[in-house]
Amino acid sequence: MNQRKPTPPTDPFRMAQEPRECCPAGDCEEPALDRRDFFRFGGWGAAAAALFQPLAAAQLERSADGGGSPEQQRLLSDPAWPTLRAYRGEHLDRLAMPIGGVGTGCLSLMGNGALRDFEVVNRPAKGFTPVVSGGAPFFAIWFESGQQRGARVLEGPLPVRAFEGSHGSLDATHNLPRFTDAEFLAAWPLGRLELRQSGVPLKVSLKAFSPFVPTDSDASGWPMAVLCYEVTNQSQLPMRVSVCGTLPNFVGMDGWETTRDWKGDRHPAGASKNRNREGAATPGIAGVFLDSEGVPASAEGWGSLALAALQPASDLAQVSLRTHWTNPQWGGAILDFWDDFAADGILDSRPDSGQDAPIASVAQLATIPAGTTRAFRFLLAWHFPNRFTWNTREENRTDEDRIGNHYTTRFANAWDVVARAAEALPALERRTVGFVSDFLASSLPPVVKEAALFNASTLVTQTCFRTPDGKFYGWEGTADSRGCCHGSCTHVWNYEQTTPFLFGDLAWSMREVEFSHATDSQGLMSFRVHLPLTRAQQFGRPAADGQMGCIMKAYRDWQLSGNEVALRRIWPGVKRAMEFCWISGGWDADKDGVMEGAQHNTMDVEYYGPNPQMGFWYLGALRACERMADFLGEGEFAATCRDLRTKGSAWMDEQLFNGEYYEQHVQPPGDASKVAPMLLVGMGAKDLANPDFQLASGCLVDQLVGQYMASICGLGYLAKRENMEATLRAILKHNYRESLEEHFNSMRSFALGKEKALLMASYPKDRPAKPFPYWSEVMTGFEYTAAVGMLYEGMTAEGLTCIQNIRDRYDGWKRSPFDEAECGHHYARAMAAWAAVVALSEFRYSAVTGEMMLTAKPGAHFWSTGYAFGRCEVAIRDGATVATLRVREGSVRLQSLRLAGVGIGQLAQPRTLSAGESLELRVSPSV
């Protein structure tokens, strides 16, 4: 393997002592960092305290919005609409909160209140806003109080980047008057936008969400956005107010097909003879139904849309509709609409102007008494049934490639969605708010809540979907107009912990696909599954980390569900997947508990020779198989796995641990004849006698990923505990950067400038001439993995600081807080953030034994199994530890409750607690 001269790594001590921006003279009152302390304490002892403890203490103590006005504090503590973070000013510029159902697609509510990124037509569509026929999607308000009257779009200031263009601003609503002051408050899936303007005698609060109820995937799978505009009359007189929503009929358009205008600018195309009609008479709602007579019913973009105003029978609001706007020539359509709406807040009808993508509007008019608030509620729904498979390009598709959507089997069309939602919405909102309230009431640090909740939004983006049979699938992430890296890629989805702990049924459906469909008779699991499932094994290539991780996930999800029947159904595939490691020319062909073969992995290349990344995945899979085999009565197979795990663990400590961290021993196979052919994916080294793209002596950020998963699963330590902690400290020592201004990166940049981060790898010793591809990058999913490992090892300050550094980068100004990217937007690996909740709560649950474990720290602790969730309040009463377990949703079987480090509360008989029930236990000290 080619080597290069070693380059000294960036010195964190030099960086820490250099003058900071806040104090150019370099005289900040901070303790000096002594290099001797650095090594005396295993790399990060006193040094960690100096660098990380102040940051972690601030995180633990700060309020959810970092302070702010009494009004901010009131909003942030509103029990009817709980909120976690507030964004103002430039931090609104890139904020884009996904709103939609799990597996349905979504649209984005921007930081200023605009509706953008209409990613509802079966594909990603970043930047797609259907600006057609002279209009765009927007909401507007009209008011009249005494002699004062006005109208404006319900949006705050435009971001600065929207000001410039070759022919002026290209923002979809650049031409409308707007509010001058905006503030966005978020606790996903709940968003709240506050709009004000000096001299305007009203304020507006938009509450936006889509139902999200962990444990109930259908309740969380409504294809709609709920938009409630609460208008407060701040004048001394009654005020007439109208709120109007406008939606172009973009059926047939998905942002992919475009045409160019005379300037060469692209515009969406695909609509043909689309039609707008008043929605069918339905109690409680009035609105417009948008479909098409010209778009082929077999097209990906065929479907329907609906925009409806909720209007209870007792509501005296006047609803007016426009099913068409006028001809758009020379701005005529928007001019006519604005003149009409701004006159009296009532929409007058217009004849069909013959547009392929006609525009419709719905307005509610009501009188608001002085000093009171009124809500104007709207639903925006979609229904696009023709999802196509991800493994056939657009130009090659046939009818056999149509795989469909689960959500469209539940509703006839978009109007059916809003009609049924009108009745169901109060309960759906209550349940959604209940989840967020329980989660925010926990004693977790705010940054952990933020990272976990905001990354959970990936579940409603086009990264994820469900087929008509209910099974759940995911891209790795999404490019702007295509999914990015298909197949529920096992080596990426291994990291995320959001789905199993919130939606157990969806997680288990992935296990069924992996072991009952994607694993062949030899045990090879295609790490990218092709669809429909008759093609599941078509990819025909395994990933060492992906396959081992799936075995560990099978164990995790069986424990969370307790479903023995389901385990027995997939067990043959699990066992074959384990045995595949031992084939001739395979990963562990000599069956010594150590992977030495060609190991394709999440770095998109093959590693040759033993290494910690695959090594710990392998040990974790052996441990999981051992446990499952014992339970199923397969003692001989369990013993085989136990023996290999024991030998492999000892070997890795003896051979791969270099005193600081684990490294790779590169073992070139010489030529391809020594490697089982299916193990070579074709993305790695070509010269197998001297392979490029190896980790070698590098310090890898996620080298303990197998231990990360083992800790979550309750599988114990896979190697010496002291080596685990030393490795995490080495990762901080070598990979942590206080700034990236001096950092060279040969690939993609997801962190820049003064941002703080953990590098993918560092090379304290010799670096290969061509290391693995992503060695110099920064990616959040890997950072979360290391940070969670720190939390499990009691390195709380360090772990929280790493998580805070990630969230500081996704601050709404530089990047959206709801879009942690890697190979695409809304990257699945970033949902590893939920593991920090599990780690800090010390949560573990086995539905098999009925035992739940939580932290013994006094306070409120959120818990979730994927089939139930709630809170556990721990308190000290009369010298005894008392735990009160409450179930918010689902049901949980309980035999005992263990508080870590204190003891166990045992029930005389197992008990199943359902939603709304609680249980109080006195926890006795362990003997």
Side-chain angles (χ1 to χ4, degrees), residues 53-209:
Q53 290 287 3
L55 295 172
Q59 170 56 219
L60 290 167
E61 294 173 4
R62 75 177 178 91
S63 65
D65 73 331
S69 66
E71 175 69 0
Q72 277 184 319
Q73 293 300 324
R74 184 188 70 79
L75 293 171
L76 290 166
S77 61
D78 180 1
W81 201 263
T83 315
L84 179 62
R85 279 292 304 271
Y87 299 87
R88 289 184 56 82
E90 61 193 6
H91 292 277
L92 299 173
D93 285 2
R94 292 194 177 275
L95 190 154
M97 190 181 93
I99 305 178
V102 173
T104 74
C106 64
L107 53 86
S108 293
L109 176 64
M110 309 304 285
N112 68 352
L115 300 179
R116 300 289 185 267
D117 302 334
F118 280 73
E119 302 182 87
V120 300
V121 192
N122 297 310
R123 66 163 56 245
K126 278 285 176 280
F128 172 54
T129 302
V131 181
V132 293
S133 305
F138 67 88
F139 280 78
I141 188 170
W142 171 89
F143 69 92
E144 183 179 63
S145 180
Q147 299 300 309
Q148 193 167 6
R149 177 191 296 174
R152 61 198 61 243
V153 68
L154 282 162
E155 298 174 15
L158 289 171
V160 171
R161 69 178 186 278
F163 279 55
E164 186 178 27
S166 67
H167 289 66
S169 176
L170 292 176
D171 189 86
T173 53
H174 65 86
N175 48 355
L176 302 178
R178 60 190 55 245
F179 287 82
T180 57
D181 186 61
E183 178 182 32
F184 196 102
L185 301 106
W188 193 89
L190 306 180
R192 181 167 182 164
L193 176 73
E194 299 291 317
L195 295 171
R196 296 179 180 82
Q197 178 157 343
S198 177
V200 176
L202 58 79
K203 67 175 182 178
V204 180
S205 176
L206 164 61
K207 293 179 176 178
F209 82 108

Side-chain angles (χ1 to χ4, degrees), residues 88 93 102 142 163 263 348 352 435 515 561 616 655 699 760 763 779 791 914-915 923 927:
R88 289 184 56 82
D93 285 2
V102 173
W142 171 89
F163 279 55
K263 304 187 300 296
D348 296 328
D352 185 347
F435 159 63
F515 292 106
S561 70
F616 285 121
Q655 301 297 322
C699 180
M760 286 291 292
Y763 284 88
M779 292 183 270
L791 299 180
S914 299
V923 178
V927 179

Side-chain angles (χ1 to χ4, degrees), residues 648-667:
S649 176
W651 192 93
M652 287 186 67
D653 277 332
E654 292 168 6
Q655 301 297 322
L656 296 190
F657 187 71
N658 65 12
E660 279 194 288
Y661 59 88
Y662 294 88
E663 59 183 37
Q664 179 193 11
H665 289 183
V666 179
Q667 297 179 0

